[in-house]
Amino acid sequence: MVSQQILSQLSAAISDTPAPIYQRVKQAIIAQIRTGVWQPHQRVPSESELVNELGVSRMTINRALRELTSEGFLIRMQGVGTFVAEAKVYTPMLEVHNIADEIAERGHRHSSKILLCEARPANGDQAMQLGITRGQEMFYSQIVHYENDLPVQIEERCVNPLTAPDYLREVFNHNTPYDYLIKVAPLTAGEHRVEAVSASETQSRYLQLKEHEPCLVIHRRTWSGNQVVTSARLIYPGSRYQLFGRFTSHG
């Protein structure tokens, strides 16, 4: 049996945002893990215990635990229980930085062009990424970043208005999205996925790519507390960008 204190802590951590209930359960469990309330190898409440404490359906709890397991937060052992997984280590190349600062550090000049910056209803995938409901208003921006007038990144970003209500106004005032978001919703966690893709005709035009030149794409989500702040797709010209990381072995 899991202690009533653990169950009560989880119940209190569930937000009242208008996200699907399984997403809110997931976010609450992730918050417990990331803040150290739930430690690696600690047994988490069973499906039955969560159903009774939280007052939601078994199907909802099962989906939340199943997705948390596939995402690496939990380990489910048949006949034994579900436990908190060991924390994952990410390399420094995937830290979140302001592209304007990166360019300035190289002694170059940053500029940007706003292609789109508007409020729009979230489609199914965008709603899932932001932890909001389908059709709920979100903010969307598409910006091309330049280094010494050479395009180096297309930034496509979906933003949760609950965490960054003045996003549209601030971006139009020539701040980078990073400048504003880091102030109003301090970063507490993030995730990245990297892939190489063939550039579309539009992307090739914006990035001034040669024919058949590939792109490097970073898919990034960031959190402030237990709320998703933003889901971004960062598109780089493959010939003008590389990831760099460094690690030190302690073994």
Side-chain angles (χ1 to χ4, degrees):
M1 290 289 291
V2 174
S3 72
Q4 184 59 44
Q5 180 183 12
I6 292 176
L7 289 165
S8 298
Q9 289 170 339
L10 180 63
S11 181
I14 294 181
S15 68
D16 58 359
T17 58
I21 183 62
Y22 85 92
Q23 283 278 10
R24 289 158 57 193
V25 171
K26 281 182 62 179
Q27 291 166 5
I29 291 175
I30 291 171
Q32 297 295 90
I33 294 171
R34 285 185 168 140
T35 57
V37 176
W38 291 9
Q39 294 292 315
H41 309 298
Q42 177 180 331
R43 183 178 178 273
V44 306
S46 67
E47 286 188 13
S48 296
E49 290 169 325
L50 289 170
V51 167
N52 292 335
E53 176 65 24
L54 303 180
V56 299
S57 70
R58 182 176 291 273
M59 184 181 299
T60 295
I61 295 300
N62 180 270
R63 179 175 180 179
L65 295 181
R66 186 174 68 249
E67 291 190 6
L68 287 169
T69 300
S70 67
E71 292 168 11
F73 291 100
L74 301 177
I75 297 175
R76 306 185 79 177
M77 301 176 65
Q78 188 68 34
V80 179
T82 303
F83 301 84
V84 177
E86 287 279 2
K88 294 182 178 180
V89 177
Y90 297 94
T91 60
M93 69 178 178
L94 295 181
E95 292 177 353
V96 178
H97 296 290
N98 185 0
I99 188 170
D101 293 340
E102 292 179 2
I103 291 172
E105 287 173 2
R106 292 193 284 269
H108 296 165
R109 177 174 51 82
H110 168 265
S111 60
S112 62
K113 178 181 179 181
I114 297 174
L115 304 177
L116 278 173
C117 194
E118 62 187 15
R120 60 168 63 172
N123 63 30
D125 181 65
Q126 292 165 341
M128 183 179 68
Q129 292 294 320
L130 292 178
I132 61 178
T133 56
R134 184 188 181 101
Q136 184 176 335
E137 184 180 84
M138 67 167 195
F139 299 142
Y140 177 81
S141 62
Q142 189 178 57
I143 301 171
V144 181
H145 293 278
Y146 299 84
E147 182 169 351
N148 290 348
D149 298 323
L150 183 68
V152 292
Q153 183 196 88
I154 301 173
E155 173 190 324
E156 299 174 352
R157 188 180 296 273
C158 300
V159 178
N160 185 346
L162 296 175
T163 62
D166 296 324
Y167 179 76
L168 300 183
R169 184 179 66 195
E170 292 295 326
V171 171
F172 275 123
N173 284 340
H174 306 295
N175 285 332
T176 64
Y178 178 95
D179 286 331
Y180 170 63
L181 293 170
I182 204 68
K183 293 175 184 176
V184 300
L187 178 68
T188 58
E191 67 179 21
H192 300 80
R193 179 166 56 88
V194 183
E195 64 177 338
V197 301
S198 298
S200 68
E201 183 178 338
T202 300
Q203 291 165 349
S204 294
R205 184 171 70 254
Y206 286 143
L207 292 175
Q208 300 175 16
L209 301 180
K210 298 176 182 177
E211 188 176 3
H212 305 307
E213 185 176 343
C215 289
L216 184 66
V217 180
I218 297 178
H219 301 268
R220 173 185 294 159
R221 279 201 301 169
T222 56
W223 283 260
S224 185
N226 63 354
Q227 285 191 307
V228 179
V229 177
T230 181
S231 173
R233 187 166 176 255
L234 310 175
I235 306 163
Y236 299 86
S239 64
R240 299 199 293 271
Y241 188 82
Q242 62 180 347
L243 293 174
F244 174 76
R246 182 184 181 198
F247 69 91
T248 302
S249 173
H250 297 287

